[in-house]
Amino acid sequence: MNIVVASHGTLCEGLVNALEMMVSADTVSIIPVGLDDRGIDDFRGRLTRAVEGLLSSGPTLIMSDLIGGTPYNESLALMLGHPEQIRVVTGTNFPMLIEVAVAAAGSDSLDEVTRVALEAGRNGVSSADLPADGPDDEDDLFQ
């Protein structure tokens, strides 16, 4: 199983770098590809080379940052060309990437890893709540 993280700017590199600090994902190929000031054509070429290079070793999940943005649109075009080997998820966040890396290390099922991505992405978004007694009871914040 392979993962490509595609984003605007260096978000993808930051996510992959943080992942490498938290999780040992040696059994999964994870490649960041960012859209930068070199433009869309350059990004398309780098993304295509990265994905096609990975497909020979197995299915590939592309995780993009924003639906409708260039990284997503170019990823979708690649998926349409390889519908059996590529899936695309969008709205990538760090909890999602962690769960996907762990799931991908133990599974060759593209559909299962995609399901994990969607669930982890939703579950990774929340807000901090104050304790029921109010903000004065600081000890409750860390229990």
Side-chain angles (χ1 to χ4, degrees):
M1 177 72 58
N2 306 298
I3 302 168
V4 173
V5 182
S7 72
H8 293 83
T10 59
L11 175 63
C12 57
E13 294 167 11
L15 287 169
V16 171
N17 181 270
L19 175 70
E20 290 169 348
M21 292 177 66
M22 301 272 303
V23 177
S24 174
D26 295 338
T27 60
V28 179
S29 295
I30 304 174
I31 298 175
V33 182
L35 174 62
D36 56 23
D37 59 3
R38 292 177 284 183
I40 294 171
D41 289 336
D42 178 78
F43 173 79
R44 180 183 301 121
R46 289 183 292 115
L47 181 65
T48 300
R49 285 189 298 278
V51 170
E52 289 181 352
L54 292 172
L55 288 178
S56 63
S57 65
T60 299
L61 177 65
I62 306 174
M63 303 175 68
S64 74
D65 58 353
L66 180 69
I67 193 167
T70 297
Y72 173 81
N73 293 340
E74 295 299 326
S75 298
L76 182 60
L78 288 169
M79 184 185 82
L80 294 174
H82 304 275
E84 299 300 317
Q85 299 172 291
I86 298 174
R87 295 290 181 278
V88 177
V89 297
T90 190
T92 300
N93 59 42
F94 191 46
M96 177 194 291
L97 182 57
I98 291 171
E99 292 292 327
V100 165
V102 170
S107 176
D108 286 330
S109 171
L110 194 51
D111 291 332
E112 175 62 19
V113 173
T114 300
R115 186 197 62 73
V116 167
L118 296 175
E119 185 176 323
R122 282 189 293 271
N123 293 338
V125 177
S126 66
S127 66
D129 293 326
L130 290 174
D133 295 340
D136 294 334
D137 195 358
E138 291 180 21
D139 290 337
D140 286 346
L141 292 175
F142 301 101
Q143 293 182 7

